[in-house]
Structure formats: structure tokens, C-alpha cells
């Protein structure tokens, strides 16, 4: 989707959760803290409004040849 920068936005904690498995419920505090740090990041503050605008406008479209990959 690099050809469609205002269509695909990926939001996930960049680092720190690599070793945390799905069943590691006892590490929930760590997941919470890493997520809060990510949500407060400068990168996310720049990208989130663009993603929201893209959803609101629905102006970006991906050809079905790309969407089916």
C-alpha cells in the first residue's frame, strides 16, 4: 500500500512487546504502559489526524487489483 499513503494506516506499539505472548495476562500492566507511551508519541500525533481525515472524507480508494493481494 505504499502507493496509497492516505489509505492504509498501521497502528501498533513499535517496540517493547515483542516477547509478550497472547496468553501473558500477568504482563497486562506492561502492555498498558507501553500502549500509553505509544499513544502519546509524536509520530502518532502526526499520523492519527491524517487517518481520521481519510476515514471522514473517504476520498482515497484502492483499485481492486491491489485490494485483492
Amino acid at each position: 500500500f505504499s502507493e496509497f499513503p492516505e489509505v492504509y494506516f498501521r497502528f501498533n506499539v513499535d517496540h517493547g512487546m515483542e516477547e509478550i505472548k497472547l496468553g501473558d495476562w500477568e504482563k497486562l500492566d506492561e502492555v498498558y504502559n507501553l500502549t500509553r507511551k505509544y499513544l502519546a508519541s509524536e509520530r502518532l500525533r502526526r499520523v492519527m489526524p491524517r487517518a481520521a481525515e481519510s476515514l471522514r472524507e473517504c476520498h482515497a480508494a484502492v483499485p481492486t487489483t491491489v485490494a485483492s493481494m
Side-chain angles (χ1 to χ4, degrees):
F1 287 102
S2 61
E3 300 166 25
F4 306 97
E6 301 303 315
V7 173
Y8 178 78
F9 295 88
R10 184 178 180 107
F11 297 102
N12 60 311
V13 176
D14 296 329
H15 50 74
M17 290 209 270
E18 300 88 359
E19 300 300 319
I20 299 175
K21 308 251 185 306
L22 189 59
D24 288 344
W25 59 268
E26 69 278 0
K27 295 182 180 179
L28 191 54
D29 285 340
E30 185 177 351
V31 170
Y32 175 82
N33 291 327
L34 289 165
T35 302
R36 296 287 297 177
K37 183 178 176 183
Y38 171 70
L39 291 173
S41 70
E42 181 61 34
R43 179 191 169 277
L44 195 63
R45 276 184 271 198
R46 286 191 320 266
V47 174
M48 189 64 76
R50 289 183 19 232
E53 180 66 18
S54 181
L55 288 171
R56 190 178 71 75
E57 292 288 327
C58 295
H59 58 81
V62 178
T64 55
T65 57
V66 175
S68 64
M69 294 180 154

